Amino acid sequence: MSRLFGSVRARATLGATLVVAVALVAAGTAVLLSLRSNLIGEAGTQAERSARAVASELAARTPYDRLSGLDGDDRPVQIVDEDGSLVAASEDLQRIEGTSTAEVTPRPSAPGDDDDDDDDSGGSDAPDDSDDDSGASLAPGEIAGGTTFSNGSATIDGDAEDYRFASVEVGTADRGTLTVTAGAPLAAEHSAVNTTLTGMLIGLPLLLGVVAGVTWLVTGRALRPVEGIRREMAAITASEDLTRRVPEPATHDEIARLAGTTNETLAALEASVNRQRRFVADASHELRSPIASLRTQLEVAAAHPGLLDLDGAVEDTVRLQHLAADLLLLARLDAGERPAGARVDLAAMAREEAAGRTGVTVDAEPAEVTGSRGQLGRVLANLLDNAGRHARERVTVSVRREGSWAVLAVADDGDGVAEADRERIFERFVRLDAARSRDDGGAGLGLAIARDVAVRHGGTLTAGAAPAGGALFELRLPLTG
């Protein structure tokens, strides 16, 4: 079952079909109940109309054998007295259920058949008028305003059907209060409800099939670009060709935006991989020179101990050590190492780093930032080393506060950096023409490390022109709140 509905297409189809099925069942039930209620109400109205018509004739002292409502072919009428005894019933009525009495044959001694008997009795009042419930009896000729409804069945001339019965009370002179019950057939209600139910039972599965089919087709069409993206991503993974891109549909919808974002991710991944490859190649190239130099000097020393250049060997070893430390720091930064949350006073740090360096002046006001003292000290040291290599006479370090930022600036009086190269110098292993010499220019990692550390601390590092004409490097970090 989990594999059957494991796709978004299958789950969407199932969900839409279930929702429509529940809605249709609820709507169909409401329609059937409303239809049944309306038809039963209409039958009750017809039954009440027939009962009141007979009650009106009784109120007008029409003899029982002349009542027009008793000769109906399809609507049973029953008249009972206060004792529940049958007084009169419609023709051909053979059986009745659901009324106050099941009798269908009036008693032979029912009054009203002979008017002379009433006159000999000394008045028109029936003996039943003397019952104890005289307070609830109606006056002769009075018809009750209320109507009582019930459901039942009746057999007329051998045909049994369900009926809606309406009972109305009327006062008479000979029998006191009589109850007239008339019925209206419910065959139309049953037929309409059954027909509607049959139509729903046939139409509901067909409609659900249409909904499921349309949902399946529409969902499949909507997800077709997703499948194309998946196949292309699988092909890119198998071929390891990051220059390929997934197809972008021209629908301008969520799937199109997904494809666009996927291509942007692939582009960023391609750039990252290419940068990593260049980094590895440049690192190998930088490491090869001091290692080759050391090996040469050691081989010469092994063959001719007297020719050993100890100072050169130490210098190459130190350079190799610094390069390895730089590479290790860059690896930690690329791995997302978060700086420590210590408070660092940039002014105090600037004075400490400038101490012992010739030609460096410091003009700093207190400015505390949060971060790693070691990494920030490395940034300032790299900036001072870079400025010292290019300055003619002096290097100036300043620390100031600008709003919510601390600004550390390092300026020299050298030739400066051309505007076209002010971003390129922060790339790894980049040395400008004036700094191509490895003895003077290093490995080209100092400024790259400085910018990476600044970014990891939530700040920026930019290059510009100093007032004295040289280079100006500004490190901006958020002040500690």
PDB file of all heavy atoms in Angstrom, residues 163-176:
ATOM      1  N   TYR A 163     -49.037   6.335   3.501  1.00  0.00           N
ATOM      2  CA  TYR A 163     -49.765   7.602   3.442  1.00  0.00           C
ATOM      3  C   TYR A 163     -49.242   8.547   4.521  1.00  0.00           C
ATOM      4  O   TYR A 163     -48.694   8.129   5.534  1.00  0.00           O
ATOM      5  CB  TYR A 163     -51.264   7.375   3.657  1.00  0.00           C
ATOM      6  CG  TYR A 163     -51.965   6.758   2.467  1.00  0.00           C
ATOM      7  CD1 TYR A 163     -51.979   5.384   2.300  1.00  0.00           C
ATOM      8  CD2 TYR A 163     -52.594   7.560   1.532  1.00  0.00           C
ATOM      9  CE1 TYR A 163     -52.622   4.809   1.206  1.00  0.00           C
ATOM     10  CE2 TYR A 163     -53.245   7.000   0.442  1.00  0.00           C
ATOM     11  CZ  TYR A 163     -53.248   5.622   0.282  1.00  0.00           C
ATOM     12  OH  TYR A 163     -53.883   5.066  -0.788  1.00  0.00           O
ATOM     13  N   ARG A 164     -49.462   9.827   4.254  1.00  0.00           N
ATOM     14  CA  ARG A 164     -49.253  10.874   5.244  1.00  0.00           C
ATOM     15  C   ARG A 164     -50.646  11.275   5.730  1.00  0.00           C
ATOM     16  O   ARG A 164     -51.497  11.713   4.947  1.00  0.00           O
ATOM     17  CB  ARG A 164     -48.541  12.080   4.621  1.00  0.00           C
ATOM     18  CG  ARG A 164     -48.320  13.258   5.549  1.00  0.00           C
ATOM     19  CD  ARG A 164     -47.298  12.955   6.608  1.00  0.00           C
ATOM     20  NE  ARG A 164     -46.861  14.160   7.292  1.00  0.00           N
ATOM     21  CZ  ARG A 164     -46.083  14.152   8.370  1.00  0.00           C
ATOM     22  NH1 ARG A 164     -45.637  12.980   8.864  1.00  0.00           N
ATOM     23  NH2 ARG A 164     -45.730  15.281   8.943  1.00  0.00           N
ATOM     24  N   PHE A 165     -50.888  11.099   7.036  1.00  0.00           N
ATOM     25  CA  PHE A 165     -52.208  11.352   7.603  1.00  0.00           C
ATOM     26  C   PHE A 165     -52.231  12.696   8.318  1.00  0.00           C
ATOM     27  O   PHE A 165     -51.249  13.073   8.990  1.00  0.00           O
ATOM     28  CB  PHE A 165     -52.606  10.245   8.582  1.00  0.00           C
ATOM     29  CG  PHE A 165     -52.810   8.906   7.930  1.00  0.00           C
ATOM     30  CD1 PHE A 165     -51.938   7.856   8.139  1.00  0.00           C
ATOM     31  CD2 PHE A 165     -53.902   8.701   7.086  1.00  0.00           C
ATOM     32  CE1 PHE A 165     -52.133   6.634   7.536  1.00  0.00           C
ATOM     33  CE2 PHE A 165     -54.114   7.471   6.483  1.00  0.00           C
ATOM     34  CZ  PHE A 165     -53.226   6.429   6.702  1.00  0.00           C
ATOM     35  N   ALA A 166     -53.366  13.396   8.176  1.00  0.00           N
ATOM     36  CA  ALA A 166     -53.613  14.647   8.879  1.00  0.00           C
ATOM     37  C   ALA A 166     -54.934  14.508   9.638  1.00  0.00           C
ATOM     38  O   ALA A 166     -55.947  14.085   9.064  1.00  0.00           O
ATOM     39  CB  ALA A 166     -53.682  15.821   7.909  1.00  0.00           C
ATOM     40  N   SER A 167     -54.927  14.837  10.930  1.00  0.00           N
ATOM     41  CA  SER A 167     -56.126  14.699  11.773  1.00  0.00           C
ATOM     42  C   SER A 167     -56.580  16.066  12.243  1.00  0.00           C
ATOM     43  O   SER A 167     -55.771  16.863  12.751  1.00  0.00           O
ATOM     44  CB  SER A 167     -55.823  13.808  12.983  1.00  0.00           C
ATOM     45  OG  SER A 167     -55.442  12.506  12.552  1.00  0.00           O
ATOM     46  N   VAL A 168     -57.894  16.338  12.064  1.00  0.00           N
ATOM     47  CA  VAL A 168     -58.487  17.618  12.445  1.00  0.00           C
ATOM     48  C   VAL A 168     -59.729  17.323  13.286  1.00  0.00           C
ATOM     49  O   VAL A 168     -60.534  16.439  12.940  1.00  0.00           O
ATOM     50  CB  VAL A 168     -58.859  18.458  11.207  1.00  0.00           C
ATOM     51  CG1 VAL A 168     -59.541  19.754  11.627  1.00  0.00           C
ATOM     52  CG2 VAL A 168     -57.629  18.746  10.364  1.00  0.00           C
ATOM     53  N   GLU A 169     -59.884  18.042  14.373  1.00  0.00           N
ATOM     54  CA  GLU A 169     -61.054  17.862  15.231  1.00  0.00           C
ATOM     55  C   GLU A 169     -62.144  18.859  14.845  1.00  0.00           C
ATOM     56  O   GLU A 169     -61.860  20.009  14.480  1.00  0.00           O
ATOM     57  CB  GLU A 169     -60.670  18.059  16.701  1.00  0.00           C
ATOM     58  CG  GLU A 169     -59.746  16.978  17.229  1.00  0.00           C
ATOM     59  CD  GLU A 169     -59.449  17.157  18.715  1.00  0.00           C
ATOM     60  OE1 GLU A 169     -59.760  18.251  19.233  1.00  0.00           O
ATOM     61  OE2 GLU A 169     -58.918  16.224  19.337  1.00  0.00           O
ATOM     62  N   VAL A 170     -63.416  18.370  14.928  1.00  0.00           N
ATOM     63  CA  VAL A 170     -64.570  19.205  14.606  1.00  0.00           C
ATOM     64  C   VAL A 170     -65.692  18.875  15.585  1.00  0.00           C
ATOM     65  O   VAL A 170     -65.886  17.718  15.972  1.00  0.00           O
ATOM     66  CB  VAL A 170     -65.023  18.980  13.141  1.00  0.00           C
ATOM     67  CG1 VAL A 170     -65.375  17.518  12.887  1.00  0.00           C
ATOM     68  CG2 VAL A 170     -66.206  19.889  12.797  1.00  0.00           C
ATOM     69  N   GLY A 171     -66.411  19.894  16.026  1.00  0.00           N
ATOM     70  CA  GLY A 171     -67.533  19.684  16.938  1.00  0.00           C
ATOM     71  C   GLY A 171     -68.831  19.431  16.176  1.00  0.00           C
ATOM     72  O   GLY A 171     -69.149  20.151  15.225  1.00  0.00           O
ATOM     73  N   THR A 172     -69.584  18.418  16.605  1.00  0.00           N
ATOM     74  CA  THR A 172     -70.871  18.086  15.965  1.00  0.00           C
ATOM     75  C   THR A 172     -71.952  18.054  17.031  1.00  0.00           C
ATOM     76  O   THR A 172     -71.669  17.922  18.229  1.00  0.00           O
ATOM     77  CB  THR A 172     -70.796  16.725  15.261  1.00  0.00           C
ATOM     78  OG1 THR A 172     -70.510  15.714  16.224  1.00  0.00           O
ATOM     79  CG2 THR A 172     -69.691  16.720  14.198  1.00  0.00           C
ATOM     80  N   ALA A 173     -73.187  18.131  16.570  1.00  0.00           N
ATOM     81  CA  ALA A 173     -74.320  18.142  17.496  1.00  0.00           C
ATOM     82  C   ALA A 173     -74.691  16.743  17.945  1.00  0.00           C
ATOM     83  O   ALA A 173     -75.199  16.547  19.056  1.00  0.00           O
ATOM     84  CB  ALA A 173     -75.521  18.838  16.837  1.00  0.00           C
ATOM     85  N   ASP A 174     -74.465  15.746  17.099  1.00  0.00           N
ATOM     86  CA  ASP A 174     -74.935  14.413  17.419  1.00  0.00           C
ATOM     87  C   ASP A 174     -73.887  13.544  18.107  1.00  0.00           C
ATOM     88  O   ASP A 174     -74.221  12.680  18.916  1.00  0.00           O
ATOM     89  CB  ASP A 174     -75.438  13.708  16.159  1.00  0.00           C
ATOM     90  CG  ASP A 174     -74.358  13.630  15.110  1.00  0.00           C
ATOM     91  OD1 ASP A 174     -73.352  14.366  15.251  1.00  0.00           O
ATOM     92  OD2 ASP A 174     -74.496  12.844  14.159  1.00  0.00           O
ATOM     93  N   ARG A 175     -72.611  13.754  17.787  1.00  0.00           N
ATOM     94  CA  ARG A 175     -71.570  12.888  18.351  1.00  0.00           C
ATOM     95  C   ARG A 175     -70.510  13.648  19.115  1.00  0.00           C
ATOM     96  O   ARG A 175     -69.467  13.098  19.429  1.00  0.00           O
ATOM     97  CB  ARG A 175     -70.917  12.082  17.225  1.00  0.00           C
ATOM     98  CG  ARG A 175     -71.867  11.176  16.454  1.00  0.00           C
ATOM     99  CD  ARG A 175     -72.469  10.106  17.346  1.00  0.00           C
ATOM    100  NE  ARG A 175     -71.496   9.204  17.831  1.00  0.00           N
ATOM    101  CZ  ARG A 175     -71.195   8.011  17.263  1.00  0.00           C
ATOM    102  NH1 ARG A 175     -71.861   7.662  16.174  1.00  0.00           N
ATOM    103  NH2 ARG A 175     -70.293   7.228  17.770  1.00  0.00           N
ATOM    104  N   GLY A 176     -70.731  14.876  19.408  1.00  0.00           N
ATOM    105  CA  GLY A 176     -69.724  15.654  20.125  1.00  0.00           C
ATOM    106  C   GLY A 176     -68.518  15.964  19.234  1.00  0.00           C
ATOM    107  O   GLY A 176     -68.678  16.289  18.048  1.00  0.00           O
TER     108      GLY A 176
END
